[in-house]
Amino acid sequence: MPRPRLPVIALLLTVAACGGPEGQRKDDAPVVVSAIGSDRLLVDPSATTIDHAQAVALGATAQGLVRFDRNGQIEPALAERWNVFDDARSYIFRLGEATWPGGQPVTAGEIVRVLRRAVAANSKSRLAPYLAVIDEIVEMTPQVIEVRLKSPRPDLLNLFAQPEMAVFRAPSLAGSGPFRIVPGKRDGLLLRPAEQPGDDPRATPAPQELVRLRGERAAAAIARFRDGASDLVLGGTLSDWPILAAAGIAPDNIRVDSAAGLFGLAILRRDGFLTTPQNRAAIGMAIDRGALTSAIAPGWDPAETILPAQMDSSAPPAPGSWMTVAPNQRRALAAQRVREWQSVHRGPVEITLALPSGAGATLLWGHLASAMIAIGITPKRVGLGDPRADLELVDAVAPYDSGRWYLANACRACSDDTATLIAAARDAPDLYNRGHRIAEADAMLASDVAFLPLAQPLRWSIVALRLSNWQGNARAWHPLNHLRKQ
């Protein structure tokens, strides 16, 4: 069984031993932020898939029509107000005042061109399948933009608040704020607040208004914070969770989001032992979700349904088939199904599981492997994307509040009937039909056992006490302009 990368943890402990306490940084200094991900922070989100560090950089330097506040709620950005018409098929945005770096005003025509490119069919964005509902983006007047949809979408604003929908100028990737990039070759990006209407462009911001943003690996980011050289680490996931304890980060600095999304095992193959729903359910029954989550991260919420709540479905979340079996009887029934399969096929049951790298994923592997071994299955671990995998971990925060996102991401090798229902929900002519198709697809996906929910996504940050405005939220999104009280 693979073990956590001890050299990395040992290095962290060595660095940590040399550092001072978290409170060492003064409140009149620039805010230093490490976002876990690539150190190449500025990329075109319509041309490539962006990671968390790149999303943070984009959200800091460019904004869309709307954006998320510190609570994960919609707030005005380029649009100062909006109205929804025609049963959520038409969104009218009235633009406020905004300028590009250099002082030129942002025009409706420029916004329309960038947004049309972002929703184009050839976009590589993770949002592309959910933006296909957009029929047209129209400049109605120099101050008004209309977004027309093929089908009603009351949750469209959550998609438009995602960093991939930020408006910027190519090829510089410069946006209208809320921060400007201070020119010069520096470590990461140095950001200053964008000028507001009426501000003196020659004014120098106070040091604490500046933000230095880096993209780096979790181990380096945690070590930097523990050494008193940064104020915030963003984008933590399960993979690097165990390093926090090894680095000795104070509990008061560790914040965990109650993130909404998917964390579970997608069925990739429907052959061999995994041919029948009953056998796929056996793996679901073998896993004690509460024991798994509490052993890895106390307070981490387990999950047994694909949908976390009813949301836009016409019915409550469909229960997994194993939920009708008493918890203390599940493993015995699962083991019986393995034995029955072996008695017919005369061979071992081997399941290959694709997981990410990292010490946290290794802890998860230990629990999942132990559960499968307990019912007679021989597990094997491979990396994400390995073509040999039978099951693959899905770990994603939902970009918007629709059951269709959950079902579409859980449906990797689901039945044709389930896939048809998910598509029907996308194309439904009204909200009534959309809600019923989502409910039907959810029930079918659960009974078919095409996805094994385990928990809610684990997302964490490390936050200096000086950043008193930081707020956990279901989006696990923390804008850099909402870190300090103004």
Side-chain angles (χ1 to χ4, degrees), residues 16 27 39 123 164 259 286 289 291 297 334 344 483:
D27 196 39
D39 60 359
S123 171
E164 290 95 330
R289 290 157 179 79
V344 173
L483 297 177

Side-chain angles (χ1 to χ4, degrees), residues 338-349:
V338 173
R339 289 193 300 269
E340 290 172 350
W341 192 91
Q342 289 174 320
S343 69
V344 173
H345 296 85
R346 303 294 181 184
V349 177

Side-chain angles (χ1 to χ4, degrees), residues 26-43:
K26 297 181 179 179
D27 196 39
D28 60 356
V31 175
V32 178
V33 179
S34 293
I36 297 173
S38 172
D39 60 359
R40 183 188 173 213
L41 292 173
L42 298 178
V43 295

Side-chain angles (χ1 to χ4, degrees), residues 33 90 111 152 156 191 238 268 297 321 373 383 469 472:
V33 179
S90 172
I111 296 172
L156 183 74
L191 307 173
L238 168 72
L268 302 184
S321 60
I373 290 170
N469 217 36

Side-chain angles (χ1 to χ4, degrees), residues 192-212:
R192 60 170 290 168
E195 303 84 2
Q196 301 301 312
D199 286 353
D200 183 353
R202 299 167 297 178
T204 301
Q208 62 268 27
E209 295 180 294
L210 299 176
V211 174
R212 181 175 295 283

Side-chain angles (χ1 to χ4, degrees), residues 96-145:
E97 294 184 35
T99 60
W100 301 109
Q104 306 95 331
V106 180
T107 67
E110 290 174 306
I111 296 172
V112 167
R113 284 193 294 273
V114 173
L115 293 181
R116 285 176 176 171
R117 182 166 174 253
V119 302
N122 62 350
S123 171
K124 295 182 180 180
S125 166
R126 67 192 170 106
L127 305 179
Y130 312 103
L131 296 170
V133 71
I134 294 176
D135 186 36
E136 196 171 6
I137 303 175
V138 180
E139 177 187 359
M140 299 181 69
T141 75
Q143 288 79 38
V144 177
I145 290 173

Side-chain angles (χ1 to χ4, degrees), residues 231-479:
D231 301 286
L232 179 64
V233 177
L234 293 175
T237 66
L238 168 72
S239 289
D240 298 298
W241 173 259
I243 303 178
L244 291 175
I249 301 298
D252 286 348
N253 297 126
I254 299 173
R255 311 289 178 83
V256 177
D257 287 294
S258 297
L262 282 174
F263 186 95
L265 303 177
I267 308 296
L268 302 184
R269 309 169 76 93
R270 299 167 70 93
D271 53 15
F273 180 76
L274 298 176
T275 301
T276 68
Q278 293 79 9
N279 288 352
R280 297 192 289 271
I283 299 175
M285 285 191 288
I287 302 167
D288 186 334
R289 290 157 179 79
L292 183 155
T293 55
S294 62
I296 294 177
W300 184 19
D301 293 328
E304 288 197 301
T305 60
I306 296 173
L307 302 186
Q310 184 165 332
M311 296 188 291
D312 55 349
S313 173
S314 65
S321 60
W322 58 85
M323 294 175 64
T324 61
V325 181
N328 62 347
Q329 299 175 10
R330 291 178 184 178
R331 280 197 175 179
L333 179 56
Q336 177 183 331
R337 289 179 178 172
V338 173
R339 289 193 300 269
E340 290 172 350
W341 192 91
Q342 289 174 320
S343 69
V344 173
H345 296 85
R346 303 294 181 184
V349 177
E350 298 178 344
I351 297 294
T352 303
L353 175 58
L355 295 174
S357 59
T362 297
L363 288 179
L364 177 65
W365 161 249
H367 285 272
L368 296 178
S370 176
M372 285 190 273
I373 290 170
I375 63 170
I377 293 176
T378 301
K380 180 180 179 182
R381 177 180 177 177
V382 295
L384 293 179
D386 193 302
R388 298 169 294 174
D390 299 304
L391 309 175
E392 182 174 81
L393 181 69
V394 176
D395 180 7
V397 176
Y400 74 124
D401 301 324
S402 173
R404 203 185 80 80
W405 177 89
Y406 288 83
L407 301 177
N409 282 273
C411 178
R412 298 295 180 88
C414 59
S415 68
D416 291 341
D417 288 343
T418 305
T420 299
L421 281 172
I422 295 172
R426 177 194 63 206
D427 301 328
D430 53 54
L431 296 178
Y432 176 86
N433 281 284
R434 177 180 171 85
H436 279 75
R437 299 299 85 75
I438 289 173
E440 292 166 359
D442 182 32
M444 188 171 289
L445 198 62
S447 64
D448 190 47
V449 196
F451 186 85
L452 304 175
L454 297 177
Q456 296 301 321
L458 178 62
R459 295 294 184 269
W460 54 266
S461 304
I462 312 176
V463 186
L465 301 183
R466 67 185 289 224
L467 304 184
S468 57
N469 217 36
W470 186 100
Q471 179 66 50
N473 60 75
R475 311 283 175 204
W477 180 251
H478 306 288

